[in-house]
Amino acid sequence: MKIFRKNRLILYIIFAVAAIAVISFVIISKLNSNFLLGEWETDDKNRKYVFDENTLTISSKLNDYSVLYGYTLKDGKTLVLQRGDEVKSYTVIIQGSEISIYSPDSDSPEILHRV
């Protein structure tokens, strides 16, 4: 009878260690992933931002235009956009379910909500 209890205890310990390893892996991979991926809209819903792995498409409902940029996210705080030879940097701040994009040449930030 003691043999079965000992084996059962070892199986419980192995299961607990495996579960902790899997949960840790999932949490670490989510924290290291790009939080911008997906579709975002402005407060007035006039502009839509679609982030892929390395491209950003900004489209407007008012003027019916669409612009494609290449982007990188440095340190999770600086968004660098490139279109042709033009390179611009923006500060990104996460505030719950929204992100704010601050431009050095603008007073107010662009606030985006996930679609």
Side-chain angles (χ1 to χ4, degrees):
M1 209 53 151
K2 289 184 181 182
I3 295 173
F4 293 122
R5 285 186 186 170
K6 212 180 241 187
N7 287 343
R8 191 180 314 156
L9 181 62
I10 291 172
L11 287 175
Y12 287 149
I13 291 171
I14 291 172
F15 177 75
V17 169
I20 290 171
V22 168
I23 290 171
S24 299
F25 175 75
V26 169
I27 289 173
I28 290 171
S29 67
K30 289 290 184 184
L31 290 176
N32 291 333
S33 68
N34 186 349
F35 64 88
L36 292 175
L37 291 179
E39 296 183 6
W40 299 80
E41 275 187 341
T42 57
D43 284 333
D44 56 7
K45 301 198 185 317
N46 287 335
R47 281 182 306 286
K48 187 175 187 180
Y49 291 67
V50 179
F51 288 91
D52 292 328
E53 284 297 323
N54 57 1
T55 58
L56 165 64
T57 306
I58 302 174
S59 55
S60 174
K61 293 179 183 176
L62 295 176
N63 300 345
D64 199 31
Y65 75 89
S66 183
V67 181
L68 182 68
Y69 293 96
Y71 82 94
T72 57
L73 188 62
K74 293 183 179 179
D75 303 327
K77 296 179 182 179
T78 304
L79 178 67
V80 179
L81 297 181
Q82 181 175 1
R83 183 172 182 214
D85 294 334
E86 183 182 5
V87 177
K88 295 182 180 179
S89 294
Y90 300 92
T91 303
V92 177
I93 296 177
I94 305 168
Q95 300 168 338
S97 64
E98 65 183 28
I99 58 172
S100 300
I101 300 176
Y102 292 87
S103 171
D105 58 346
S106 176
D107 292 337
S108 61
E110 186 80 60
I111 298 175
L112 306 176
H113 300 278
R114 191 171 292 276
V115 178

